[in-house]
Amino acid sequence: MHVSSRPTIKEVSKIAGVSFKTVSRVLNNEKHVSEETRRRVEEVVARLNFRPSHAARTLAGRKSFQIGLLYDNPSPYYIFHVQSGAQQRCTEQGYRLLVQPIDSQAPDLVSNVLALIDETHLDGLILSPPVTEATALLDELDKRGLPYVRIAPGVRREAGLAATMDDVAAARELVEHLVGLGHRRIAFISGPESHISSSERLRGYRAALEGAGIAFDPALVVPGDYSFDSGYAAAQQLLLGKGARPTAIFAGNDDMAAGALAVAHENDIEVPGALSIAGFDDSDLARAVWPPLTTIHQPVYDLAAAAAELILGTPPQPRVTLEHKLMVRASTGPAPK
């Protein structure tokens, strides 16, 4: 049989000896296809280097083969890894990933997302924090029956699909590392209230202090918004204010920790000799600054990849929990005597 330079699904079905609909089911990873038939179709697809168009697949299966990723986070490093992890899995399964920045606090959030769904006919959504906390949006998605998966949800934790890690335990481990170095006056730069990770990392911080018999001092907790500038402003308040200076700063993410490090450098505060600084995420930035940051490795790429696998129906379980890891680098050291 002559095969065109750009083979069609009809040519695949004829060579494989199956119907057009059977090829479509195999390409769409649908059930009700025998393993022998699936193997035969996949062999023909590979031999012909057949790549179905999204338009043809949409008409055949009434699906758009498009997944949306919604984010609202000022850290470019976090978003890059979220997008990369989800993109990789979607591409492997023949789906397109549409990445959409949104304001999770906007009054028209729900209408904006519904318009996106209607215009693009998305097959599902990946929600990254803090979009995961938008209960009005969750209600509407449930009402429509549109599949969605949440990365690190803070509300309705046991409901639906989710990929997550234990922020409380991770923050506690990092602060225990600082306590183990002899630090007793440890400051915390928190993230925005809209992110559940902010309150959970604060809980871990407080739990570590309590476990070490160190009284919690509200004056040592300064709010930020996960941006470099907010970390810089918070560190100025902690290091240049009238109160006693902390010997260590734990920032809720690496961007804010880098801001604190900049304040220390500008004011000749030696790190880690006079001040230890730690972050959270283990982003590329953590290794780019000097000294490189002690931080918590949050498997952001893997969390996003797991979320994509969940929405595409690859793993059988509805929830995936991944482990964190303490990364000790040169920005933390013994407390000054």
Side-chain angles (χ1 to χ4, degrees):
M1 173 184 175
H2 172 73
V3 178
S4 57
S5 58
R6 185 173 181 177
T8 67
I9 193 170
K10 289 183 179 180
E11 290 171 331
V12 172
S13 66
K14 189 166 185 177
I15 294 175
V18 298
S19 68
F20 171 95
K21 288 185 177 180
T22 298
V23 175
S24 179
R25 290 192 185 101
V26 173
L27 295 174
N28 295 338
N29 294 314
E30 295 180 9
K31 300 177 182 178
H32 313 302
V33 179
S34 71
E35 286 304 313
E36 194 279 331
T37 299
R38 185 180 299 276
R39 179 189 57 78
R40 190 163 73 250
V41 171
E42 289 175 345
E43 286 179 352
V44 174
V45 167
R47 188 165 77 247
L48 299 182
N49 194 27
F50 172 71
R51 299 191 181 280
S53 71
H54 281 268
R57 294 174 70 192
T58 298
L59 290 172
R62 296 183 180 178
K63 297 171 68 175
S64 70
F65 294 91
Q66 298 184 122
I67 299 296
L69 169 62
L70 306 183
Y71 75 89
D72 177 13
N73 190 308
S75 172
Y77 299 94
Y78 180 86
I79 295 307
F80 171 76
H81 288 295
V82 166
Q83 181 175 338
S84 298
Q87 179 73 60
Q88 180 66 31
R89 292 300 184 272
C90 285
T91 299
E92 290 172 356
Q93 295 295 320
Y95 281 73
R96 284 195 179 121
L97 182 70
L98 302 183
V99 182
Q100 182 70 34
I102 62 172
D103 180 358
S104 60
Q105 301 299 307
D108 57 353
L109 166 67
V110 174
S111 60
N112 285 339
V113 174
L114 294 183
L116 172 69
I117 295 169
D118 292 338
E119 290 166 6
T120 59
H121 306 287
L122 294 173
D123 293 331
L125 279 173
I126 299 173
L127 310 180
S128 64
V131 188
T132 52
E133 317 310 311
T135 54
L137 175 60
L138 302 181
D139 290 340
E140 191 61 38
L141 294 177
D142 288 337
K143 188 185 304 181
R144 286 196 169 204
L146 183 74
Y148 63 89
V149 59
R150 295 179 293 157
I151 299 174
V155 298
R156 305 179 189 175
R157 296 193 177 193
E158 302 307 315
L161 305 174
T164 188
M165 62 164 272
D166 193 336
D167 281 89
V168 177
R172 179 168 186 165
E173 184 175 349
L174 191 144
V175 176
E176 287 174 344
H177 161 71
L178 296 173
V179 170
L181 291 171
H183 295 279
R184 292 296 179 270
R185 191 165 175 77
I186 303 170
F188 178 60
I189 303 176
S190 66
E193 292 183 359
S194 59
H195 287 243
I196 191 65
S197 60
S198 301
S199 59
E200 296 209 325
R201 291 168 196 178
L202 177 60
R203 282 175 55 201
Y205 163 80
R206 296 191 64 162
L209 296 182
E210 182 180 352
I214 301 173
F216 172 71
D217 183 355
L220 289 177
V221 178
V222 181
D225 64 9
Y226 282 162
S227 68
F228 175 94
D229 289 342
S230 70
Y232 184 92
Q236 283 186 312
Q237 181 177 330
L238 289 165
L239 300 176
L240 307 181
K242 294 181 180 179
R245 199 168 75 190
T247 64
I249 294 177
F250 166 35
N253 77 342
D254 294 336
D255 294 67
M256 295 193 300
L261 191 60
V263 174
H265 289 330
E266 289 174 1
N267 292 276
D268 296 322
I269 301 172
E270 184 183 357
V271 178
L275 174 71
S276 287
I277 297 177
F280 199 109
D281 282 343
D282 194 25
S283 65
D284 297 338
L285 181 62
R287 295 178 294 279
V289 296
W290 185 260
L293 290 171
T294 291
T295 187
I296 289 291
H297 175 73
Q298 179 180 201
V300 177
Y301 179 97
D302 293 331
L303 283 169
E309 290 172 355
L310 285 167
I311 199 67
L312 296 173
T314 307
Q317 72 272 27
R319 304 181 65 79
V320 174
T321 301
L322 301 181
E323 297 296 321
H324 66 271
K325 183 179 180 181
L326 174 64
M327 309 297 294
V328 179
R329 299 194 180 100
S331 68
T332 56
K337 297 180 180 179

